[in-house]
Amino acid sequence: MDINILRHSTAHLLAHAVVELFPGTQLTIGPATEDGFFYDFVAPRSIKEEDLDHIQARMWELSQKNYPIEHKQISKDEARVIFKDNPFKLELINEIPEATVGITIQGDWIDLCRGGHVACTGDIKHFKLLNVSGSYWRGKRDGQALQRISGTAFFSREDLEEFDRIRQEAALYDHRKLGKQLDLFSFHEEGVGFPFYHPKGKAVINAMINYLRHEQDLAGYKEVQTPMMLSEGLWHRSGHWNFYKDNMFFCGMDHENYAVKPMNCPGAFLIYNERPRSYRELPLRVSEFGMVHRNELSGVLHGLLRVRAFTVDDAHIFITPDQIESEVLGIIALLKRVLTKYGLTNIKAFLATRPEKAMGSTAIWEKAEAALKAALDKVGMAYEVDAGGGAFYGPKIDFKFTDSLKREWQCGTVQLDFFQPENFDLTYVAPSGQKERPVIVHRALYGSVERFFAVLLEHYKGALPFWLAPEQVRILTITDDAIAYGQDILNQLKAMQVRAVLDQSSDQISAKIRTAQVEKVPMMLVLGKKEVEHNTISVRTLDGKQEMGVSVEAVKQKISALR
Ligand SMILES: [Zn+2]
Ligand SMILES: [Zn+2]
């Protein structure tokens, strides 16, 4: 049986319990989600985390009563009588195109529902309520405010226990907690949803960007920077205004309306169109570490994972239709190399193909989809096909990886686009002298730099690998006599662009080492009287290993090998 059926049935069980415990509660919807379920309510009083145990206990009682779960179709008029006091259900009933609607009955409790349940409430045994949060009716910020209870359910106790174990471990290494402990970033009421990077957090972001910048340079990309805000007319033309305006920030300039960019695409198109292009320039790979702003609902903001301002490692690649396969092959190879550098190897691809309503000829779609498949096959990457799941303007590949806590994350995307070349009248001069339309590839590898950073922090439990660590080396002096020697080594490391710090405080060496360990500094160079005399270094790593009497040259070589 599909686990979504069990989870949706558990959402019913939750709603049943809440209605019994909080009479007068209005139910809205309760779907299964990727890793559980939720139900959204309007309750007579605010439901708190402390209430969850109580609600869960009532759910357990209802499960033990083992009510049969009955589902049947009734006329809309009958349904309107049953749900006469619930404006949400009435709205849903009115929207259902069929003449009848489905209802679910367990015991004396009824819900409006499409169906798909387990047979009896007793089939629901291994479940857990996870949290309470705020939401809005239909996810719209001007909609009625609702309370959401989320939970999960599994078929076996072992699966639930495994979920719980991973969840507890994840809470221990929550990036928001690590961000505070390691002094990486913070959030402030004065800019809700906007991250503030502290020196150490910024050092990691810079390392991530500089590494990718170098890889992209090797792969023939040219980096640009386009403005943070652009005229509203441009966003009308690009179509973003139509689809995205609820999530965009607007402002004015020179008596004209401007919008803060929610995406980087149009800027790249304007650069392309600045002068005539020849086929000789293609593929033209225009990259941008572009900060975008999106007005997410405050309830869904979540540390660096969900913010209102983030940096996309964007690229727009202009190609001829014949270059699709080779270009996508190059992108996937680059993605693989980059993720491997981060220690992420379990990568899966999802290919979304032509939807029913699509623009462009069938011929170009077939050609493009075949090219994407060929590229995935050639690079030997496992993929699933989401038939009909593509955007109307072109097929795409999404990439996901699994982290050390066995969670799956989406990172990069390769999106082909047949629409914007027409829309922005982009052309190149073909060998024949004729003007032709290029195909655009929208591409990101990290996706959001902020989100990728958060995932890395949790994946590595705060102990980032040497090349990425905000502070790579800490020099610790045992006595004041070693300070001058330590300063000299610091200067040499800084000249090599190593992120190094000299701790010359008067603390005991054992305390200095402990502090460096808590702050997850991967390499400690300990300097005492003996080291000064012999011009050597005692090297300690985060795993507790220590090597005495290492020459300065040998330490430098060690460091170079780690970068
Ligand atoms: Zn149902
Ligand atoms: Zn784009």
Side-chain angles (χ1 to χ4, degrees):
M1 187 194 280
D2 183 354
I3 193 150
N4 291 320
I5 288 177
L6 173 70
R7 287 171 172 171
H8 167 65
S9 305
T10 318
H12 276 315
L13 196 66
L14 163 65
H16 191 165
V18 168
V19 166
E20 286 194 1
L21 293 170
F22 304 90
T25 295
Q26 285 182 333
L27 304 178
T28 69
I29 55 164
T33 59
E34 210 165 299
D35 48 11
F37 62 86
F38 67 79
Y39 212 112
D40 281 353
F41 310 94
V42 181
R45 75 154 169 88
S46 141
I47 297 174
K48 303 196 171 63
E49 297 277 335
E50 301 90 87
D51 294 316
L52 294 184
D53 280 348
H54 192 38
I55 297 170
Q56 193 163 298
R58 179 60 69 103
M59 287 169 73
W60 185 240
E61 283 170 30
L62 295 172
S63 158
Q64 299 226 302
K65 286 193 175 144
N66 203 16
Y67 294 120
I69 300 174
E70 192 195 340
H71 185 259
K72 63 178 184 185
Q73 294 294 122
I74 59 171
S75 76
K76 282 186 170 175
D77 283 341
E78 284 174 89
R80 285 190 187 104
V81 173
I82 295 172
F83 298 104
K84 64 180 189 309
D85 298 325
N86 185 323
F88 308 104
K89 298 286 182 189
L90 291 175
E91 191 177 321
L92 293 172
I93 291 166
N94 286 339
E95 279 170 15
I96 294 169
E98 289 81 28
T100 61
V101 297
I103 56 163
T104 299
I105 305 164
Q106 56 193 42
D108 58 1
W109 177 82
I110 299 180
D111 200 359
L112 180 77
C113 166
R114 211 177 294 142
H117 306 111
V118 297
C120 306
T121 58
D123 294 345
I124 308 166
K125 288 193 178 73
H126 311 290
F127 56 87
K128 186 177 174 119
L129 297 183
L130 300 173
N131 57 53
V132 188
S133 57
S135 64
Y136 295 95
W137 174 236
R138 309 237 131 138
K140 290 197 177 123
R141 73 190 74 229
D142 51 359
Q144 158 91 47
L146 307 171
Q147 295 196 71
R148 171 171 300 181
I149 300 180
S150 306
T152 194
F154 291 91
F155 289 117
S156 75
R157 181 215 291 249
E158 291 73 35
D159 286 352
L160 179 61
E161 281 173 355
E162 172 72 357
F163 172 87
D164 225 20
R165 193 188 61 72
I166 289 175
R167 188 164 169 268
Q168 279 173 22
E169 200 176 14
L172 209 56
Y173 301 109
D174 186 311
H175 75 279
R176 292 168 296 182
K177 211 159 139 185
L178 290 170
K180 215 177 191 56
Q181 278 167 9
L182 301 174
D183 193 17
L184 300 170
F185 55 84
S186 57
F187 286 91
H188 300 271
E189 271 179 23
E190 290 80 355
V192 177
F194 300 148
F196 287 65
Y197 289 116
H198 300 192
K200 285 183 177 181
K202 183 64 179 165
V204 180
I205 295 282
N206 285 345
M208 291 168 66
I209 288 178
N210 287 336
Y211 161 66
L212 186 56
R213 181 173 276 146
H214 177 61
E215 286 289 352
Q216 290 185 160
D217 182 42
L218 295 176
Y221 287 72
K222 305 281 179 225
E223 187 176 332
V224 300
Q225 185 180 325
T226 65
M228 194 66 77
M229 50 192 227
L230 294 162
S231 79
E232 199 181 294
L234 180 71
W235 301 106
H236 279 281
R237 181 173 185 187
S238 70
H240 290 98
W241 197 86
N242 238 340
F243 288 104
Y244 246 74
K245 63 175 179 303
D246 288 346
N247 290 314
M248 287 165 68
F249 295 106
F250 295 94
C251 50
M253 194 164 89
D254 301 338
H255 308 293
E256 225 193 292
N257 290 332
Y258 270 66
V260 182
K261 65 177 174 183
M263 286 193 181
N264 299 303
C265 322
F269 305 157
L270 295 184
I271 290 178
Y272 183 93
N273 254 357
E274 169 66 11
R275 62 174 172 80
R277 302 284 175 178
S278 150
Y279 72 94
R280 288 192 201 87
E281 291 179 76
L282 309 187
L284 181 65
R285 305 182 182 95
V286 180
S287 68
E288 176 170 18
F289 292 95
M291 181 181 266
V292 296
H293 285 71
R294 295 183 192 170
N295 195 2
E296 302 278 358
L297 291 172
S298 60
V300 302
L301 298 173
H302 183 94
L304 291 179
L305 285 175
R306 199 80 182 260
V307 287
R308 282 176 171 157
F310 58 96
T311 309
V312 183
D313 62 320
D314 226 335
H316 294 91
I317 307 175
F318 304 87
I319 55 176
T320 70
D322 290 333
Q323 291 169 332
I324 295 174
E325 182 182 328
S326 60
E327 192 55 32
V328 172
L329 188 64
I331 295 170
I332 301 173
L334 180 62
L335 173 97
K336 253 182 128 170
R337 188 159 61 247
V338 168
L339 291 188
T340 304
K341 172 86 174 172
Y342 285 98
L344 304 166
T345 46
N346 196 346
I347 313 165
K348 260 198 292 185
F350 297 82
L351 171 64
T353 59
R354 188 178 207 267
E356 230 160 76
K357 269 192 192 163
M359 71 153 301
S361 67
T362 315
I364 185 138
W365 273 86
E366 279 172 1
K367 186 172 172 173
E369 287 172 9
L372 294 183
K373 282 182 187 164
L376 284 163
D377 287 336
K378 276 191 186 160
V379 86
M381 188 177 284
Y383 66 94
E384 285 173 27
V385 177
D386 176 8
F392 76 93
Y393 49 85
K396 73 164 174 174
I397 307 175
D398 283 331
F399 299 93
K400 291 183 182 174
F401 63 83
T402 309
D403 72 5
S404 63
L405 297 169
K406 294 185 189 152
R407 295 170 304 179
E408 209 172 60
W409 300 95
Q410 167 154 3
C411 52
T413 310
V414 175
Q415 169 77 61
L416 298 191
D417 189 340
F418 312 131
F419 169 67
Q420 296 292 10
E422 299 271 349
N423 189 31
F424 277 85
D425 194 22
L426 308 183
T427 57
Y428 64 92
V429 179
S432 63
Q434 294 287 317
K435 278 186 176 178
E436 305 272 358
R437 291 262 180 248
V439 171
I440 295 173
V441 186
H442 306 257
R443 176 240 76 163
L445 304 184
Y446 297 152
S448 145
V449 176
E450 281 70 11
R451 190 162 169 279
F452 198 75
F453 178 25
V455 174
L456 288 173
L457 272 177
E458 298 189 1
H459 174 72
Y460 284 110
K461 301 175 179 172
L464 295 173
F466 187 91
W467 74 272
L468 206 52
E471 183 184 331
Q472 298 173 305
V473 175
R474 188 172 296 179
I475 304 165
L476 314 172
T477 53
I478 300 176
T479 59
D480 285 354
D481 310 345
I483 288 177
Y485 180 46
Q487 188 66 52
D488 179 40
I489 293 172
L490 178 70
N491 293 342
Q492 293 187 48
L493 294 183
K494 287 213 168 201
M496 289 169 68
Q497 298 191 341
V498 176
R499 296 187 288 277
V501 168
L502 172 63
D503 178 356
Q504 46 181 297
S505 68
S506 55
D507 291 344
Q508 293 280 315
I509 187 66
S510 56
K512 287 186 182 181
I513 290 173
R514 213 173 313 119
T515 307
Q517 281 170 335
V518 168
E519 293 176 14
K520 314 264 189 218
V521 181
M523 188 184 279
M524 290 155 254
L525 307 183
V526 182
L527 309 178
K529 214 170 153 200
K530 213 180 349 169
E531 282 76 17
V532 176
E533 268 170 29
H534 299 100
N535 234 325
T536 57
I537 295 172
S538 176
V539 182
R540 253 187 109 93
T541 43
L542 201 49
D543 53 15
K545 285 194 189 128
Q546 191 164 354
E547 211 184 326
M548 324 268 275
V550 188
S551 74
V552 177
E553 247 353 273
V555 168
K556 284 190 190 171
Q557 276 171 21
K558 238 183 233 294
I559 288 171
S560 297
L562 285 169
R563 288 203 290 171

